[in-house]
Amino acid sequence: QKQPEKEANFDILFHEFPAAFEEYLSNEPNAPIKNLTELMEYNLLDKENRIPFGQGVLDKCIETNLSDIEYKELKDFDLAYAASLDTLIKDNSLDALIFTGYHGTWLAAKGGYPSVIIPAGYIDGRPFSITFTSIKFTEEELFALAYQYEQHTLARINPAVSS
């Protein structure tokens, strides 16, 4: 039995995605694609336009096959690990945690915790963002924090669009 590095492990995502994708497509009666394998085959018909950066994540989804024991072990670990957010936030009387870019979203997502990502400024002319994350059911507070930050910094600049 393989023992993955649990903290930053995406095997559950790769394992769950094909079935979730198929379920989503089953609710779209006119969808020409019915599952992940069909999507991947469709992409291969025009790689340059459909998958210019490859489909490595989709390949991982097809390759990942967890046993029931491995799946439960990883899921239990993810939920316990993500619950540490509650402890960290509550014990320190915080409203939220802030991560640079999208870092930290994987931890929050594993526990079903809300996150909001907003523009935070520019480094060498390139935009960067920050992520606000907090405990479950605090979406309204997170949106308020993000809005206050945006209004205070006015960090986002509309891109120049040429025609």
Side-chain angles (χ1 to χ4, degrees):
Q1 179 177 348
K2 77 177 187 178
Q3 184 60 37
E5 179 188 329
K6 291 182 179 176
E7 288 84 356
N9 186 283
F10 293 92
D11 283 353
I12 287 179
L13 169 74
F14 298 141
H15 181 78
E16 291 179 342
F17 185 76
F21 184 64
E22 195 169 315
E23 180 181 338
Y24 169 77
L25 291 174
S26 73
N27 293 315
E28 298 295 325
N30 297 323
I33 293 168
K34 302 298 179 201
N35 58 49
L36 193 59
T37 302
E38 288 182 16
L39 173 64
M40 293 172 72
E41 290 168 357
Y42 174 79
N43 288 342
L44 292 173
L45 296 174
D46 187 5
K47 291 185 208 179
E48 187 175 312
N49 290 307
R50 294 182 185 151
I51 51 171
F53 304 106
Q55 54 187 1
V57 171
L58 300 182
D59 288 332
K60 278 291 279 182
C61 289
I62 297 299
E63 294 165 9
T64 301
N65 187 18
L66 299 175
S67 70
D68 290 345
I69 293 169
E70 289 171 319
Y71 178 78
K72 182 178 180 346
E73 190 177 287
L74 284 173
K75 192 73 164 176
D76 289 347
F77 179 85
D78 282 351
L79 293 174
Y81 193 67
S84 65
L85 288 176
D86 278 339
T87 304
L88 180 62
I89 290 170
K90 289 175 182 174
D91 286 358
N92 293 286
S93 301
L94 302 174
D95 294 320
L97 299 175
I98 298 175
F99 299 95
T100 57
Y102 59 85
H103 301 290
T105 56
W106 62 270
L107 173 59
K110 286 179 175 214
Y113 294 34
S115 294
V116 60
I117 301 173
I118 61 168
Y122 295 81
I123 297 175
D124 297 328
R126 297 188 62 155
F128 73 94
S129 60
I130 59 173
T131 300
F132 289 92
T133 295
S134 194
I135 58 178
K136 291 182 179 184
F137 310 112
T138 58
E139 290 84 352
E140 191 172 327
E141 292 87 350
L142 281 178
F143 283 129
L145 282 170
Y147 180 76
Q148 285 178 318
Y149 178 88
E150 283 185 310
Q151 294 304 301
H152 181 74
T153 63
L154 299 174
R156 184 181 182 280
I157 299 171
N158 288 331
V161 179
S162 60
S163 44

